[in-house]
C-alpha cells in the first residue's frame, strides 16, 4: 500500500490513556493528521477529538464509515478486541494495536489469519523492543546467549475497574507483564514450557470486585535450553521493579524500561535509555504504511506468539499443571 507521506489521515479507536500517549507523539509529526476519534464513551472521544480538531464518534463502525483514513490506531481494553480488528481489516486499512491483542487465543488467531490473507500492515505496542538499551543487550547476547532469566513486574494495581476483573483484563500477566514476556522472547527466543502458581489476596477493600491473581510465580523453559522465572504482583502502592535480569557466561545484564546495567566483574555501570521508544515504533509503523521498507519490530503475528505464552501462563496458574507451548495456526509474523 503506497500512501503519500504528506497528510496521512489517522483514526483512533479508543480514547484512553494509551491513546493519548500515541496522540502526543503523532501530533508532533508534520505528515500526520488525526481526523477522527471513536470511543464507546462518547464524552471521552469528544474530549480528545476536541483537542485535535478531529471528529468524534461513539463507535468504530461510524469512524470507519464516515472518515477517509490511511491507517487506524486501536487502543482499547483487552475485552474489546475482536470485532474492531475484523472491521478494520475488512476496510483494507493498516492498523496499530495496543497489547494485549485479545483475551483469548482463537480470536487473535482469526485476526492474524485475516491480516496475512489481506496483506495488511500491522504494528503492536510492545515498545520495549525500540529501546536502545534493548538493542545493546541484544548485541551482547548474540555471541553469549543467556542461560538464566529472571523477569519482574512488581507494581501497584491500576485504577481502571476493568483491570481488576479476569474476564475483562485477563489478569496481570496477560495485560501487564506481557511486556516482560515479549522482551524475553525478543532477547532469548521461544518459550516451550511454562509452570505457574497464582495467589489472590482475599479482601482488598480499595478494589471491590477484584478477582485476578495478585501474585504470580512462573517457571519458564526456552527452546535454546535456557530456563527462567517471572514474578508478578499488583499488591504494592508504587512501581517497585519492572524488567529482566539475564545471566550468561561471565556476564549479567539488568534491563528495565529506562536503563541497562552490564556486569562483567568490573563494577555495575548503569546507563539510561535515550530517546522515546513510542515515537520510534509509531514512526516505523507510519513509514511502512507509506510504502517505505517495513522496519516494524513487532507485527501482529509476532505479538500473537507473545500472547500465546501469556495465556499459557494464565492456564497453568489455574490448572496447577505445566503447559507445553506449541506453534498454532495463525502465528506467521504478519
Amino acid at each position: 500500500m503506497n500512501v503519500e507521506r504528506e497528510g496521512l489521515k489517522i483514526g483512533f479507536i479508543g480514547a484512553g490513556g494509551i491513546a493519548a500517549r500515541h496522540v502526543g507523539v503523532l501530533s508532533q509529526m508534520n505528515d500526520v493528521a488525526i481526523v477522527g476519534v471513536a470511543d464507546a464513551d462518547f464524552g471521552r472521544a469528544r474530549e480528545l477529538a476536541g483537542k485535535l480538531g478531529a471528529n468524534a464518534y461513539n463507535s468504530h463502525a461510524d469512524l470507519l464509515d464516515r472518515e477517509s483514513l490511511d491507517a487506524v490506531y486501536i487502543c482499547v481494553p483487552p475485552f474489546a478486541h475482536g470485532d474492531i480488528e475484523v472491521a478494520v481489516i475488512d476496510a483494507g486499512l493498516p492498523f496499530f494495536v495496543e497489547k494485549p491483542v485479545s483475551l483469548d487465543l482463537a480470536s487473535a488467531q482469526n485476526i492474524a489469519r485475516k491480516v496475512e490473507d489481506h496483506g495488511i500492515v500491522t504494528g503492536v505496542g510492545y515498545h520495549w523492543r525500540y529501546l536502545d538499551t534493548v538493542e545493546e543487550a541484544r548485541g551482547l547476547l548474540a555471541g553469549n546467549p543467556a542461560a538464566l532469566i529472571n523477569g519482574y513486574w512488581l507494581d501497584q494495581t491500576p485504577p481502571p475497574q476493568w483491570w481488576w476483573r479476569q474476564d475483562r483484563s485477563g489478569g496481570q500477566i496477560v495485560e501487564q507483564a506481557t511486556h516482560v514476556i515479549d522482551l524475553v522472547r525478543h532477547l532469548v527466543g521461544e518459550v516451550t514450557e511454562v509452570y505457574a502458581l497464582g495467589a489472590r489476596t482475599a479482601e482488598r477493600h480499595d478494589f471491590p470486585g477484584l478477582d485476578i491473581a495478585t501474585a504470580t510465580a512462573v517457571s519458564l523453559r526456552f527452546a535454546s535450553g535456557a530456563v527462567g522465572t517471572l514474578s508478578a504482583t499488583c499488591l504494592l502502592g508504587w512501581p517497585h521493579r519492572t524488567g529482566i535480569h539475564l545471566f550468561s557466561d561471565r556476564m549479567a545484564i539488568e534491563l528495565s524500561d529506562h536503563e541497562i546495567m552490564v556486569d562483567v566483574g568490573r563494577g555495575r555501570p548503569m546507563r539510561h535509555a535515550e530517546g522515546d521508544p513510542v515515537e520510534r515504533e509509531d514512526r516505523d509503523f507510519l513509514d511502512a504504511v507509506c510504502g517505505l521498507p517495513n522496519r516494524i519490530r513487532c507485527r501482529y503475528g509476532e505479538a500473537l506468539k507473545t500472547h500465546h505464552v501469556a495465556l499459557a501462563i494464565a492456564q497453568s496458574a489455574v490448572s496447577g499443571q505445566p503447559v507445553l507451548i506449541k506453534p498454532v495456526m495463525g502465528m506467521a509474523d504478519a
Side-chain angles (χ1 to χ4, degrees):
M1 180 179 184
N2 287 312
V3 178
E4 292 298 328
R5 290 184 63 81
E6 187 173 349
L8 278 170
K9 295 183 287 296
I10 307 297
F12 268 78
I13 300 172
I18 193 62
R21 177 76 170 91
H22 287 288
V23 164
V25 169
L26 268 56
S27 297
Q28 303 303 310
M29 296 182 181
N30 295 329
D31 59 345
V32 173
I34 300 169
V35 297
V37 178
D39 196 290
D41 181 342
F42 182 66
R44 189 162 64 174
R46 186 168 51 192
E47 180 180 0
L48 183 58
K51 297 175 182 177
L52 302 166
N55 297 315
Y57 301 94
N58 62 8
S59 75
H60 67 273
D62 285 345
L63 170 70
L64 297 175
D65 183 57
R66 298 179 189 178
E67 297 289 349
S68 176
L69 301 171
D70 295 314
V72 174
Y73 274 70
I74 303 172
C75 302
V76 298
F79 64 84
H81 290 287
D83 291 345
I84 292 171
E85 286 86 346
V86 171
V88 172
I89 294 167
D90 287 345
L93 291 171
F95 67 89
F96 184 100
V97 59
E98 272 299 336
K99 41 52 63 187
V101 293
S102 71
L103 277 181
D104 63 281
L105 191 60
S107 174
Q109 285 180 263
N110 179 53
I111 292 166
R113 283 192 291 263
K114 287 181 175 292
V115 163
E116 189 171 5
D117 290 345
H118 288 75
I120 300 291
V121 172
T122 62
V124 182
Y126 287 109
H127 64 275
W128 288 30
R129 291 184 179 227
Y130 282 88
L131 290 163
D132 67 322
T133 49
V134 169
E135 292 179 8
E136 179 181 346
R138 194 170 164 87
L140 291 169
L141 293 167
N144 188 7
L148 175 67
I149 300 93
N150 301 136
Y152 308 92
W153 199 295
L154 313 175
D155 206 340
Q156 59 194 329
T157 301
Q161 293 190 19
W162 58 259
W163 200 91
W164 312 346
R165 296 282 303 277
Q166 187 71 28
D167 63 352
R168 307 291 274 176
S169 70
Q172 186 181 18
I173 294 292
V174 170
E175 203 286 326
Q176 198 173 57
T178 183
H179 276 299
V180 174
I181 297 168
D182 188 69
L183 186 60
V184 296
R185 283 192 56 250
H186 187 56
L187 293 176
V188 182
E190 297 304 334
V191 179
T192 59
E193 184 179 7
V194 299
Y195 173 59
L197 295 172
R200 181 168 65 87
T201 303
E203 291 292 335
R204 301 190 73 200
H205 298 294
D206 291 342
F207 307 99
L210 184 145
D211 65 1
I212 65 169
T214 51
T216 306
V218 188
S219 295
L220 306 162
R221 187 181 303 278
F222 295 82
S224 66
V227 294
T229 63
L230 169 62
S231 302
T233 185
C234 59
L235 285 172
L236 304 177
W238 61 92
H240 173 68
R241 174 179 290 174
T242 303
I244 61 172
H245 297 176
L246 306 109
F247 303 91
S248 10
D249 187 12
R250 300 176 186 271
M251 180 172 68
I253 299 174
E254 296 181 7
L255 265 176
S256 72
D257 60 345
H258 57 274
E259 61 190 12
I260 184 173
M261 188 283 297
V262 181
D263 182 359
V264 291
R266 297 191 294 271
R268 295 172 54 85
M270 191 77 68
R271 181 176 77 80
H272 286 276
E274 297 180 0
D276 183 355
V278 175
E279 189 278 333
R280 291 171 183 152
E281 71 174 355
D282 283 344
R283 187 68 267 171
D284 275 5
F285 171 68
L286 296 174
D287 283 350
V289 170
C290 291
L292 295 176
N294 191 328
R295 297 189 177 91
I296 296 170
R297 298 187 186 179
C298 193
R299 308 175 197 181
Y300 196 94
E302 176 68 6
L304 177 55
K305 298 175 185 177
T306 293
H307 192 49
H308 188 200
V309 177
L311 292 174
I313 292 171
Q315 177 188 339
S316 178
V318 171
S319 69
Q321 299 296 318
V323 175
L324 296 175
I325 299 174
K326 300 178 181 178
V328 296
M329 290 181 62
M331 284 200 173
D333 184 14

